[in-house]
Structure formats: C-alpha cells, structure tokens
Amino acid sequence: MSGLRTGVNRTALLCLAVALLGAGAVLASATDVVRDRLPSDVPRLGSDRVWVDGEELGRWRDHGWWTPVVIAALSVGVLLFLGWAWAQVRGGRLRELPLGQPDVTLSGPALAAAMTERARGIEGVAHVRVRLRGGPRRLRARITLVLLPDASPEAVLRCLARQTVAEARAAVSPRPLIADVRLTGRSR
C-alpha cells in the first residue's frame, strides 16, 4: 500500500507543479485577462502603471552583469526543480514488498542482505554489493561483484544466476526480478 501511496503522492506533486507553472505563465503573459477576473476588493495595478518603470529597468540594464545573472539564476532554479521532479517520479530503493497476504511484507534491505551473503559465498568473489530498486510490480537488483584475480567470470555468473538470483526471484514471485550484474576484478 505504501508503494501506491508514494506513486499517488508523486503524481499529485507533478500535477500541482504543472498547474503552478501554467498559472505563472498565464499571469506573466496575459495580465489583462487576469485583471478582469479578479474580485473587486483585490488591489490592482492601474492599466497606466507597470511592474518596473522604464527608467528603473534602464538603470539595471546599464549594468552588464545584470541580465546574465538573472538568466543564470532562473536557469539554475528551473534545473533544480526538474531534478527534484525527476527524483520524485523515478522509483526509489525498495523498502518493503507485499507478499500477497494482508500485513505480510518482505523487507527490501533484508532481501538485499540475504542476496549479498549468498553471493559472497560464491567461489572467486572478493566483495559484493546489492541494491534493490523499484516498486511492488517491477524489481531491479543491481549486483556489483569484485572478483579475485584467479576467478572465472563465467563460472561466477553461472553460479550467481543459479543460486542467488534464482532464490531472490522465488522469494518475490510472481513479480519479475531483473538482475543487472557488474563484474570488476581485483588486481594482484
């Protein structure tokens, strides 16, 4: 249920952000339209007045640094917002996984620790790191193996697929588990 709640929250935040950006664009480009729709008790800027008068704007434009700084600050703001929005939309680390019965869940860190211990027992493996990502429907295991200098990568991968990944897939079934394996070697 928490995965569904997280997805709904992310979707709601994204919709709110799009609505706010759209409202800002409308306010910036169509002030006459907005001015006519405001309640009568809201203070209004007269039609003969502007937000920044020409003389003040001219003084700011005389400074050569002003325009690039404003553009850079707005660009950084937009990039930070887009990065935050992307972080909200993409799947995060697996915290818990429902197992089909009410109130029965599998802890993501516990599954990652079990996979790490199982992979550490494979002959020729010096170090293991397992990261689980995704949600209740699709899981991805990123496994990084550091091999000993005399280890056979083919044998290690075969053993990893038969033991560690197969057991993890059985534990999370019927959900698919995609395993991305990265092999590196320890120098002599």
Side-chain angles (χ1 to χ4, degrees):
M1 185 65 175
S2 68
L4 176 65
R5 187 177 315 133
T6 302
V8 170
N9 287 343
R10 289 176 180 172
T11 303
L13 281 173
L14 184 62
C15 290
L16 178 65
V18 168
L20 288 174
L21 283 173
V26 167
L27 283 173
S29 63
T31 55
D32 289 338
V33 173
V34 174
R35 186 180 305 134
D36 295 339
R37 294 185 182 184
L38 291 175
S40 61
D41 59 338
V42 173
R44 300 177 187 186
L45 192 62
S47 59
D48 59 333
R49 296 186 57 202
V50 292
W51 291 101
V52 179
D53 65 348
E55 186 178 313
E56 182 70 24
L57 188 59
R59 275 185 279 176
W60 279 107
R61 286 186 177 162
D62 287 343
H63 301 289
W65 57 266
W66 185 74
T67 304
V69 167
V70 169
I71 292 172
L74 291 174
S75 299
V76 167
V78 167
L79 289 175
L80 287 173
F81 171 75
L82 290 175
W84 173 82
W86 177 251
Q88 295 299 313
V89 172
R90 72 180 172 93
R93 283 191 176 178
L94 179 66
R95 304 226 191 291
E96 62 181 27
L97 182 68
L99 290 180
Q101 296 179 359
D103 299 328
V104 178
T105 60
L106 175 63
S107 168
L111 179 59
M115 290 177 71
T116 300
E117 286 303 314
R118 190 73 166 137
R120 195 174 283 146
I122 297 173
E123 185 178 339
V125 173
H127 179 73
V128 180
R129 181 177 176 192
V130 177
R131 298 173 89 192
L132 294 175
R133 300 184 69 81
R137 292 194 181 127
R138 192 188 87 198
L139 303 174
R140 182 174 297 273
R142 292 189 177 167
I143 305 169
T144 303
L145 299 175
V146 178
L147 302 180
L148 294 172
D150 57 344
S152 166
E154 182 181 350
V156 169
L157 275 176
R158 191 176 318 117
C159 192
L160 180 75
R162 278 194 226 143
Q163 295 176 3
T164 308
V165 176
E167 290 172 0
R169 283 184 176 145
V172 300
S173 71
R175 293 163 195 88
L177 173 69
I178 300 167
D180 297 327
V181 181
R182 180 176 180 218
L183 298 175
T184 60
R186 181 177 279 179
S187 61
R188 293 185 186 268

